[in-house]
Amino acid sequence: MNLNLPPSIRSKRRNMILVGFTPGPNNPKDLDSFLWPLVEEMLQLQEGIKMVWNAGMEEYFTLHAYITIVTADMPGREKLMRMKGKYSSRYISHLLGRDMMLLSLLNEC
């Protein structure tokens, strides 16, 4: 989604970029290895790519990009968020740690 566009046309299909999908019952067993090329690219874009030419404005700029929306069906979302599978305990412990920290902050108020 190009956030530089007006909100009325920002979410139209022609203004969005689909970077990948994992179809059907034969999806990758190790989702992290499937997504790693995208993660590497997005880390570079987050830092910025200098000296990109803008032909419309006739000037150079630093290009930044960020992932703004991730969609999935329920099984795909669970796998992406590591809510199931061999690493699910790490995700759950992360959530519990975050919730415990929030509770301690609320108790201090």
Side-chain angles (χ1 to χ4, degrees):
M1 179 181 293
N2 184 344
L3 297 177
N4 290 330
L5 295 173
S8 60
I9 62 170
R10 188 179 292 171
S11 60
K12 302 246 186 242
R13 183 181 292 179
R14 68 179 181 266
N15 297 320
M16 299 185 81
I17 300 171
L18 174 65
V19 294
F21 64 95
T22 56
N26 298 323
N27 57 1
K29 299 295 181 212
D30 183 6
L31 191 58
D32 288 345
S33 67
F34 182 79
L35 293 174
W36 184 244
L38 172 65
V39 170
E40 283 185 316
E41 186 85 15
M42 293 310 297
L43 287 171
Q44 289 176 355
L45 288 167
Q46 180 179 328
E47 293 296 318
I49 298 174
K50 295 178 178 19
M51 301 299 290
V52 175
W53 180 251
N54 181 336
M57 306 268 307
E58 296 186 354
E59 64 185 13
Y60 289 97
F61 70 101
T62 302
L63 174 68
H64 294 274
Y66 307 92
I67 295 176
T68 57
I69 297 175
V70 175
T71 62
D73 60 1
M74 288 178 65
R77 184 191 65 219
E78 289 172 355
K79 191 169 187 177
L80 185 63
M81 294 176 67
R82 296 182 182 204
M83 294 176 72
K84 65 180 190 176
K86 69 179 186 176
Y87 295 113
S88 61
S89 61
R90 291 184 190 172
Y91 181 76
I92 298 302
S93 63
H94 166 73
L95 286 180
L96 289 174
R98 184 195 66 195
D99 290 344
M100 296 307 278
M101 184 177 68
L102 288 173
L103 284 173
S104 67
L105 290 173
L106 289 174
N107 288 333
E108 290 175 9
C109 294

